[in-house]
Short mmCIF file of all heavy atoms in Angstrom, two decimals:
data_model
loop_
_atom_site.label_atom_id
_atom_site.label_comp_id
_atom_site.label_asym_id
_atom_site.label_seq_id
_atom_site.Cartn_x
_atom_site.Cartn_y
_atom_site.Cartn_z
N ARG D 29 -0.38 -4.97 24.05
CA ARG D 29 -0.41 -5.50 22.69
C ARG D 29 -1.74 -5.22 22.07
O ARG D 29 -2.71 -4.83 22.73
CB ARG D 29 -0.18 -7.09 22.74
CG ARG D 29 -1.22 -7.80 23.66
CD ARG D 29 -0.81 -9.22 23.79
NE ARG D 29 0.39 -9.42 24.60
CZ ARG D 29 1.50 -9.91 24.08
NH1 ARG D 29 1.60 -10.29 22.80
NH2 ARG D 29 2.61 -10.05 24.83
N ALA D 53 17.17 -11.07 11.20
CA ALA D 53 15.76 -11.47 11.53
C ALA D 53 14.81 -10.28 11.29
O ALA D 53 15.20 -9.08 11.41
CB ALA D 53 15.64 -11.88 12.99
N GLY D 68 17.19 -11.21 22.14
CA GLY D 68 18.02 -11.67 23.23
C GLY D 68 18.42 -13.09 23.11
O GLY D 68 19.60 -13.41 23.47
N GLY D 71 20.58 -13.13 19.44
CA GLY D 71 21.69 -12.12 19.31
C GLY D 71 21.90 -11.73 17.93
O GLY D 71 23.07 -11.29 17.54
N GLY D 87 9.10 0.63 20.35
CA GLY D 87 10.17 -0.22 20.00
C GLY D 87 11.52 0.44 20.03
O GLY D 87 12.49 -0.04 20.61
N TYR D 95 10.61 0.25 12.84
CA TYR D 95 10.12 1.04 11.70
C TYR D 95 8.62 0.97 11.65
O TYR D 95 8.02 -0.01 12.01
CB TYR D 95 10.75 0.56 10.35
CG TYR D 95 12.22 0.68 10.29
CD1 TYR D 95 12.98 -0.35 10.75
CD2 TYR D 95 12.92 1.80 9.78
CE1 TYR D 95 14.41 -0.35 10.70
CE2 TYR D 95 14.21 1.86 9.72
CZ TYR D 95 14.98 0.76 10.15
OH TYR D 95 16.36 0.82 10.12
N ARG D 106 16.31 -10.01 2.30
CA ARG D 106 16.08 -11.41 2.77
C ARG D 106 16.50 -11.50 4.24
O ARG D 106 17.47 -10.79 4.65
CB ARG D 106 16.64 -12.44 1.94
CG ARG D 106 15.96 -12.60 0.63
CD ARG D 106 16.67 -13.64 -0.23
NE ARG D 106 15.93 -13.85 -1.46
CZ ARG D 106 15.01 -14.96 -1.62
NH1 ARG D 106 14.79 -15.71 -0.65
NH2 ARG D 106 14.46 -15.11 -2.79
N CYS D 121 -4.11 -16.99 3.16
CA CYS D 121 -2.83 -17.59 3.61
C CYS D 121 -1.84 -17.88 2.50
O CYS D 121 -0.63 -17.77 2.60
CB CYS D 121 -3.06 -18.82 4.45
SG CYS D 121 -3.77 -18.49 6.14
N GLN D 123 -1.37 -16.44 -0.40
CA GLN D 123 -0.67 -15.22 -0.93
C GLN D 123 0.26 -14.74 0.16
O GLN D 123 1.39 -14.25 -0.20
CB GLN D 123 -1.71 -14.21 -1.33
CG GLN D 123 -1.12 -12.95 -1.95
CD GLN D 123 -2.09 -11.98 -2.58
OE1 GLN D 123 -3.10 -12.47 -3.05
NE2 GLN D 123 -1.79 -10.72 -2.52
N LEU D 132 12.39 -14.62 2.77
CA LEU D 132 13.12 -15.59 3.59
C LEU D 132 14.38 -16.15 2.79
O LEU D 132 14.28 -16.59 1.72
CB LEU D 132 12.16 -16.75 3.92
CG LEU D 132 12.67 -17.62 5.06
CD1 LEU D 132 12.81 -16.98 6.37
CD2 LEU D 132 11.77 -18.90 5.21
N PRO D 134 17.18 -18.81 1.74
CA PRO D 134 17.11 -20.23 1.62
C PRO D 134 17.53 -20.98 2.94
O PRO D 134 18.55 -20.64 3.47
CB PRO D 134 18.11 -20.53 0.45
CG PRO D 134 18.17 -19.26 -0.34
CD PRO D 134 18.03 -18.16 0.69
N LEU D 138 10.60 -19.45 9.18
CA LEU D 138 9.42 -18.53 9.21
C LEU D 138 8.53 -18.91 10.36
O LEU D 138 8.06 -20.13 10.51
CB LEU D 138 8.66 -18.56 7.89
CG LEU D 138 7.35 -17.83 7.92
CD1 LEU D 138 7.40 -16.40 8.14
CD2 LEU D 138 6.54 -18.12 6.61
N SER D 144 -6.80 -19.43 12.86
CA SER D 144 -7.13 -20.75 12.07
C SER D 144 -8.35 -21.49 12.74
O SER D 144 -8.51 -21.41 14.02
CB SER D 144 -5.94 -21.65 11.96
OG SER D 144 -4.89 -21.04 11.30
N LEU D 146 -9.81 -24.63 14.26
CA LEU D 146 -9.34 -25.84 14.91
C LEU D 146 -10.26 -26.93 14.72
O LEU D 146 -9.90 -28.20 14.73
CB LEU D 146 -9.06 -25.57 16.38
CG LEU D 146 -8.23 -24.40 16.77
CD1 LEU D 146 -8.05 -24.27 18.21
CD2 LEU D 146 -6.85 -24.47 16.11
N VAL D 155 -19.46 -16.79 10.44
CA VAL D 155 -19.86 -15.48 9.86
C VAL D 155 -19.12 -14.32 10.62
O VAL D 155 -18.65 -13.43 10.07
CB VAL D 155 -21.39 -15.33 9.86
CG1 VAL D 155 -21.71 -13.87 9.44
CG2 VAL D 155 -22.03 -16.29 8.85
N GLN D 182 8.02 -27.61 10.32
CA GLN D 182 8.86 -28.02 11.44
C GLN D 182 7.96 -28.25 12.66
O GLN D 182 8.22 -29.20 13.47
CB GLN D 182 9.87 -26.98 11.70
CG GLN D 182 10.85 -27.32 12.83
CD GLN D 182 12.03 -26.41 12.84
OE1 GLN D 182 12.68 -26.11 11.84
NE2 GLN D 182 12.29 -25.78 13.99
N ILE D 186 -0.53 -23.91 19.05
CA ILE D 186 -1.86 -23.30 19.16
C ILE D 186 -1.95 -22.43 20.47
O ILE D 186 -1.64 -22.87 21.52
CB ILE D 186 -2.98 -24.36 19.24
CG1 ILE D 186 -2.98 -25.30 18.01
CG2 ILE D 186 -4.32 -23.77 19.43
CD1 ILE D 186 -3.87 -26.46 18.11
N LYS D 189 -6.29 -20.29 25.39
CA LYS D 189 -7.37 -19.32 25.63
C LYS D 189 -6.92 -18.05 26.38
O LYS D 189 -7.49 -16.97 26.12
CB LYS D 189 -8.46 -20.06 26.38
CG LYS D 189 -9.74 -19.25 26.75
CD LYS D 189 -10.76 -20.06 27.52
CE LYS D 189 -12.00 -19.22 27.80
NZ LYS D 189 -13.01 -19.91 28.54
N LEU D 219 -21.69 1.87 21.70
CA LEU D 219 -21.75 0.98 20.54
C LEU D 219 -20.44 0.11 20.47
O LEU D 219 -20.41 -1.06 20.23
CB LEU D 219 -21.95 1.69 19.30
CG LEU D 219 -22.02 0.88 17.96
CD1 LEU D 219 -23.09 -0.19 18.06
CD2 LEU D 219 -22.18 1.75 16.72
N MET D 221 -18.38 -0.52 22.95
CA MET D 221 -18.32 -1.46 24.07
C MET D 221 -19.13 -2.71 23.76
O MET D 221 -18.81 -3.78 24.08
CB MET D 221 -18.86 -0.77 25.31
CG MET D 221 -17.98 0.30 25.83
SD MET D 221 -16.62 -0.37 26.85
CE MET D 221 -17.52 -0.92 28.27
N GLU D 227 -17.58 -9.66 20.81
CA GLU D 227 -16.45 -10.49 20.29
C GLU D 227 -15.81 -11.33 21.35
O GLU D 227 -15.47 -12.49 21.16
CB GLU D 227 -15.38 -9.50 19.70
CG GLU D 227 -14.16 -10.14 19.11
CD GLU D 227 -13.16 -9.25 18.59
OE1 GLU D 227 -13.55 -8.15 18.07
OE2 GLU D 227 -11.95 -9.58 18.56
N ASP D 232 -15.22 -16.64 24.08
CA ASP D 232 -15.36 -17.42 25.31
C ASP D 232 -16.32 -18.67 25.11
O ASP D 232 -15.96 -19.69 25.68
CB ASP D 232 -15.98 -16.52 26.36
CG ASP D 232 -15.83 -17.02 27.81
OD1 ASP D 232 -14.75 -17.65 28.03
OD2 ASP D 232 -16.76 -16.87 28.60
N TYR D 243 2.72 -21.20 13.03
CA TYR D 243 3.28 -22.15 12.13
C TYR D 243 4.78 -21.95 11.99
O TYR D 243 5.17 -20.90 11.61
CB TYR D 243 2.52 -22.12 10.82
CG TYR D 243 1.10 -22.35 10.83
CD1 TYR D 243 0.23 -21.28 10.97
CD2 TYR D 243 0.59 -23.63 10.72
CE1 TYR D 243 -1.20 -21.51 11.04
CE2 TYR D 243 -0.83 -23.80 10.75
CZ TYR D 243 -1.64 -22.76 10.89
OH TYR D 243 -3.07 -22.90 10.99
#
Side-chain angles (χ1 to χ4, degrees):
R29 58 188 67 247
Y95 299 87
R106 288 180 175 264
C121 287
Q123 185 169 328
L132 191 66
L138 167 65
S144 302
L146 308 179
V155 170
Q182 183 167 307
I186 301 172
K189 179 180 179 180
L219 179 60
M221 289 281 290
E227 182 181 327
D232 196 38
Y243 300 91

